[in-house]
Amino acid sequence: MSEETLDTKAIVERFAEVATLAGIKGEIDEDGDFAAGFNLKDDRSQMVFARPINTPGGPGVCMFSHAAVYKKGMFGGISKEVALELLKRNEDLSFARYGVREFEDRYLVVASLDALIETLDPAELENSVWAVAYAADCWEEKSGQADEF
Amino acid sequence: MSTTPSSADMRELASSRYAGDVELMQAIRKDPALTQQQKRADILRTQSTTRMRLLANAMRVCPDVLPDVAGAVARVQARVDVGKPLEAFVFADSDVNAFVTEGSSRFLVALSSGAVQVLSPEELEFVIGHELGHALYAHTEVAAGALVESDDVSEANTKLLRSWQRAAEISADRVGLLACGDPELACTALVKTLAGLPLPGARFAPSDIASQWESLLGEMMDAGATDLWQHSHPFLPLRIKALDAFWTGHQAGNETHGDPETRTFLAMMEAPGTRSTEESGQGLLARFLLWGGLYVGLAEGSLAPEGRTRLNALTVPGVDLDEALAAENPTELALAQFRAAKTSRRTKLRADELSSILRQLVSFAALDNHFSDPERERLGHLARELGLGHRAIELLIEQHQEGTKA
């Protein structure tokens, strides 16, 4: 299926419907993503987003949560040690992955997980979004950044 | 009861058309994407070689060679005026089958050799009338088959096209019945098509197929077969039921022509979550809605009249609501049957089905514009029975209330 034929609105609405069945309240934000907040241990919280994507198996969603921001610059960016640590932690994660998204002035570390929308059920969605939220929060806490996301 | 059809009866044809056929055809014609695709199909149709292929590979019906078939064609043609000449063919195929297509100056009706061998000339009148029904209602103008096979048509539109095709078959069956004028003849033709056997001298009434229909309905609900929407034709037992509903209404002078019952039957083949199933509360989820609705409806002791009406409209094989209400403990019975509906399902309920069940139950509880605590508790209980948390019901109630305010 090509990018042009991906019905992003229908996918996000379907995701929101399954999220409701999973007891998760969220809303569709200005980017067209589904967004929901999660309260974690020690008064920490995390926002998780769901964005429509194409997968080899058909239309899907990428559930992701922001973990940390690394500004670019002579003394900024992501060090080799940090990158290596992310890779090592990726190996230990069961239901999410860390990744780096590059922007003009910064790198954003996100925890994410993809799922096919057609077969997504409430239990899978609930497990997935919590896994993503925990993984993102875990890196945010480890990296010493404030509970920003 | 048999009546002798005349061309005067045919004046009723316009009003006999199944309303669902008209509504869905309008929806197809309003859809910009489908209109665009339809234009391409129209261009291809002008270049159609169907007549040439029929002349090359089938036998043209004429009184000298196929007198019985020619007689049946002539009789039906005299009763159903489609506004263009008709040319009929018989093609080699052991299945009982037929089709109609529109050429530039005529309609072409083709019957399989299986149909000619299995059906009597009178039963063939039903089949020919059915095909002329497609011509009469301009079904041939929508290239549904080609559109469905196109890669450029969305799944939602594919579902719309398939729904319409099934609805169009219902309308065409009605013309077939009015053309042959005998519901038993029409039923016999459909039963023989099911069996693929000539069954000489046999005559069938819709009641003869009633228990098979009930069994089929039960199997469909247990299977939770979500791919039924892909069928272009309703199942034959369903068509017999729909014809019976039409004829009963027709004979009684009922203006609805059995349309409400027919909608209920056709909903069984719709994809879950589509407008027609949501609006009618019908379809393969009817058992969940009936028993769940009864469980919620009894939350405050007795079932309100509007709730009773809503539940009575649901079609669930072998269930009598009055009997259920007269049971020693109807609440326990409803809950047990709701659980049984889940247990007997051979496939896991999909997220859209879960959503459809719960949203309709929430809507049912809100018939009196109020959610009482016992109703909330019972809705939560049913959600847990379906493997969901109580929070899901809270959110659905919240969304329902927001929707009502909006």
Side-chain angles (χ1 to χ4, degrees), chain B residues 67-397:
Chain B
D68 288 347
V69 181
V73 170
R75 286 192 294 278
V76 175
Q77 210 178 347
R79 297 172 202 144
V80 184
D81 180 11
V82 290
K84 270 187 183 182
L86 183 70
E87 199 169 36
F89 292 85
V90 174
F91 61 96
D93 185 345
S94 58
D95 285 350
V96 179
N97 208 347
F99 68 85
V100 64
T101 186
E102 188 173 4
S104 54
S105 60
R106 72 196 87 206
F107 283 106
L108 306 166
V109 170
L111 306 164
S112 69
S113 52
V116 175
Q117 282 168 342
V118 166
L119 304 178
S120 69
E122 293 74 24
E123 289 153 4
L124 275 180
E125 288 180 31
F126 167 75
V127 176
I128 296 160
H130 170 102
E131 297 307 329
L132 291 192
H134 284 309
L136 186 77
Y137 295 141
H139 293 157
T140 49
E141 288 178 11
V142 180
L147 292 174
V148 163
E149 284 168 19
S150 162
D151 289 338
D152 298 326
V153 174
S154 68
E155 186 174 315
N157 273 339
T158 304
K159 286 177 179 170
L160 171 64
L161 287 161
R162 287 299 193 208
S163 291
W164 170 71
Q165 282 182 303
R166 291 189 292 274
E169 293 303 320
I170 297 294
S171 293
D173 276 346
R174 292 178 178 186
V175 178
L177 171 53
L178 291 171
C180 75
D182 182 347
E184 284 197 6
L185 209 56
C187 183
T188 304
L190 289 170
V191 171
K192 286 184 175 182
T193 303
L194 263 176
L197 295 169
L199 304 170
R203 272 180 79 83
F204 296 96
S207 56
D208 295 325
I209 206 84
S211 85
Q212 183 167 338
W213 162 251
E214 295 244 319
S215 300
L216 170 64
L217 209 51
E219 281 297 311
M220 286 159 78
M221 287 180 172
D222 284 348
T226 50
D227 59 348
L228 297 179
W229 67 266
Q230 296 179 21
H231 290 250
S232 62
H233 286 56
F235 293 134
L236 286 169
L238 191 161
R239 286 168 64 180
I240 293 170
K241 286 289 293 181
L243 261 187
D244 188 36
F246 165 72
W247 190 252
T248 305
H250 180 77
Q251 292 299 90
N254 185 339
E255 284 182 7
T256 64
H257 296 294
D259 283 0
E261 295 94 323
T262 301
R263 257 181 230 279
T264 306
F265 304 145
L266 284 175
M268 297 296 168
M269 295 185 74
E270 293 292 340
T274 54
R275 206 185 69 178
S276 59
T277 54
E278 294 277 320
E279 280 176 356
S280 64
Q282 299 294 345
L284 300 176
L285 303 175
R287 275 202 293 229
F288 291 95
L289 301 176
L290 175 70
W291 296 115
L294 185 57
Y295 183 65
V296 173
L298 290 170
E300 289 173 284
S302 62
L303 189 62
E306 59 269 35
R308 195 185 181 107
T309 306
R310 184 83 75 95
L311 296 183
N312 256 327
L314 292 165
T315 302
V316 178
V319 174
D320 184 322
L321 186 62
D322 291 333
E323 271 180 27
L325 284 165
E328 194 177 335
N329 190 334
T331 298
E332 268 182 24
L333 173 72
L335 185 58
Q337 291 295 333
F338 186 85
R339 286 178 181 144
K342 186 175 175 236
T343 310
S344 67
R345 272 275 297 218
R346 291 196 290 272
T347 49
K348 189 180 167 191
L349 283 165
R350 291 156 40 114
D352 53 358
E353 291 178 305
L354 290 170
S355 178
S356 182
I357 293 168
L358 291 179
R359 283 193 184 283
Q360 290 185 70
L361 290 177
V362 164
S363 158
F364 181 80
L367 280 174
D368 57 356
N369 301 314
H370 167 72
F371 291 99
S372 67
D373 287 342
E375 282 173 335
R376 286 173 186 266
E377 194 180 310
R378 288 196 176 189
L379 284 167
H381 193 151
L382 294 179
R384 284 196 296 281
E385 291 289 339
L386 296 173
L388 302 171
H390 195 275
R391 177 82 179 129
I393 281 297
E394 287 172 14
L395 287 176
L396 288 168
I397 289 175

Side-chain angles (χ1 to χ4, degrees), chain B residues 8-20:
Chain B
D9 291 329
M10 294 301 110
R11 281 198 290 270
E12 294 181 45
L13 284 175
S15 64
S16 297
R17 188 175 178 183
Y18 171 49

Side-chain angles (χ1 to χ4, degrees), chain A residues 14 17-25 118 120-122, chain B residues 348 350-351 354-355 358-359 388 391-392 395-396 398-399:
Chain A
R14 173 85 176 262
E17 189 70 27
V18 185
T20 299
L21 296 178
I24 295 167
K25 186 176 183 178
E118 181 67 22
L120 186 65
D121 65 26
Chain B
K348 189 180 167 191
R350 291 156 40 114
L354 290 170
S355 178
L358 291 179
R359 283 193 184 283
L388 302 171
R391 177 82 179 129
L395 287 176
L396 288 168
E398 200 178 300
Q399 287 175 5

Side-chain angles (χ1 to χ4, degrees), chain B residues 4-53:
Chain B
T4 305
S6 67
S7 56
D9 291 329
M10 294 301 110
R11 281 198 290 270
E12 294 181 45
L13 284 175
S15 64
S16 297
R17 188 175 178 183
Y18 171 49
D21 166 18
V22 178
E23 291 156 16
L24 291 165
M25 199 170 183
Q26 282 170 351
I28 289 168
R29 288 194 155 140
K30 275 185 197 164
D31 185 277
L34 284 177
T35 306
Q36 185 62 27
Q37 293 294 323
Q38 177 68 37
K39 279 180 188 163
R40 291 182 200 167
D42 287 344
I43 293 168
L44 288 175
R45 195 171 54 184
T46 60
Q47 298 158 1
S48 168
T49 55
T50 306
R51 183 165 187 253
M52 184 188 78
R53 285 187 282 120

